Amino acid sequence: MTDDKTTHFGYQEVPVGEKQARVRAVFDSVATRYDIMNDLMSMGIHRLWKRRAIEMAGVRRGQQVLDLAAGTGDLAERFSEIVGPDGAVVMSDINEAMLSQGRARLVDAGRVGNLDYAIANAEALPFADNSFDCVTIGFGLRNVTHKQLALNEMFRVLRPGGRALILEFSHPTIDPLAKAYDLYSFTMLPLMGKLVTGDSDSYRYLAESIRMHPDQETLLSMLEQAGFERCSYQNLTAGVVAIHRGYKL
């Protein structure tokens, strides 16, 4: 059990003040090989998950989008295409190494003009109330120390009529799949991490962080607690991943 002085870092219980630095160290370690590992770990399926998340986000031309925990910018890149020159996308991450990788990739791809970059903590966003039409966070909420604070902040910076979308690993709904997924996560992921990035510990943490993340119904309740309405979720790959969505009405 954790209290207000401790929190989970994977399966470890650590002082609250240490988690952010530990998470930063994980992503500093894997930043340069992050995209390669995503393809290897998911056998490319992460691209389909992200495509579905973009569809569910419902972003339109001219809108303002905030992409939290943007990493190397998969979601932000597509959003920048959709909103066009009259819209804007803020690509934000607490980890400077990840954000730098993403910015370099998007600049190389010619994605300039409607993309801005911000190093920001999801628990205390440096943006005004009612600033964005859509706020997304893909595979990042599980690394946030105080998840409810992050959801509250997402609600605050959204405009009335806006929506939040959370793409995250979740809890498989089929028992045989859950067992196979556990075996894969705790054996193959650290091994691949060691072979590709030279870092097995970071990928062991990632596997543990998924298990410690709230399940689908719990996260749905947390969205409602933050003030969101019309909240729902969709399981992908039998609950290995879930997309949660809520509206600020």
Side-chain angles (χ1 to χ4, degrees):
M1 292 294 291
T2 61
D3 54 33
D4 58 352
K5 296 181 181 180
T6 61
T7 189
H8 293 293
F9 176 77
Y11 288 163
Q12 299 178 53
E13 187 173 326
V14 301
V16 165
E18 287 186 11
K19 179 169 180 176
Q20 192 175 111
R22 289 185 178 224
V23 171
R24 182 181 296 114
V26 166
F27 287 95
D28 283 348
S29 174
V30 304
T32 59
R33 311 290 283 176
Y34 184 78
D35 289 331
I36 293 172
M37 277 298 295
N38 276 351
D39 281 329
L40 289 174
M41 287 188 301
S42 70
M43 293 170 285
I45 298 174
H46 75 99
R47 299 176 185 273
L48 300 178
W49 296 334
K50 290 170 182 173
R51 185 182 304 170
R52 180 57 182 153
I54 290 162
E55 291 171 355
M56 290 181 64
V59 170
R60 300 188 300 277
R61 187 175 180 85
Q63 291 193 325
Q64 308 290 311
V65 178
L66 172 62
D67 184 25
L68 298 171
T72 55
D74 288 355
L75 297 181
E77 180 177 18
R78 180 62 184 130
F79 287 140
S80 75
E81 295 173 354
I82 295 171
V83 303
D86 298 328
V89 177
V90 177
M91 183 172 156
S92 172
D93 203 295
I94 197 172
N95 185 276
E96 186 173 359
M98 290 292 292
L99 193 63
S100 295
Q101 286 288 319
R103 183 172 187 171
R105 188 179 73 81
L106 296 186
V107 169
D108 287 348
R111 300 295 175 198
V112 296
N114 66 351
L115 265 169
D116 292 314
Y117 303 88
I119 296 174
N121 185 343
E123 298 176 18
L125 295 173
F127 307 109
D129 296 357
N130 308 316
S131 295
F132 297 98
D133 299 291
C134 182
V135 179
T136 61
I137 183 167
F139 301 114
L141 186 61
R142 72 181 186 278
N143 297 310
V144 174
T145 304
H146 302 103
K147 296 174 180 59
Q148 189 65 56
L149 289 181
L151 297 176
N152 295 349
E153 281 290 273
M154 293 169 73
F155 184 84
R156 179 184 65 79
V157 302
L158 273 173
R159 294 170 176 165
R163 60 260 173 228
L165 187 133
I166 302 162
L167 170 65
E168 188 55 90
F169 290 108
S170 197
H171 294 242
T173 56
I174 301 173
D175 190 55
L177 175 61
K179 292 177 180 177
Y181 183 47
D182 278 345
L183 181 63
Y184 172 77
S185 298
F186 290 101
T187 56
M188 292 303 297
L189 289 191
L191 178 59
M192 282 191 289
K194 183 176 182 179
L195 293 175
V196 176
T197 71
D199 182 354
S200 60
D201 289 344
S202 290
Y203 285 93
R204 187 171 294 107
Y205 158 73
L206 292 177
E208 292 175 358
S209 70
I210 293 168
R211 302 312 183 279
M212 300 304 295
H213 187 66
D215 64 19
Q216 289 91 322
E217 289 293 331
T218 301
L219 184 54
L220 190 73
S221 297
M222 292 171 70
L223 274 169
E224 293 170 343
Q225 184 178 333
F228 289 100
E229 299 183 50
R230 292 170 53 197
C231 299
S232 63
Y233 66 86
Q234 181 179 104
N235 285 321
L236 304 179
T237 317
V240 169
V241 163
I243 301 174
H244 284 69
R245 183 171 58 183
Y247 293 83
K248 181 176 181 177
L249 302 180

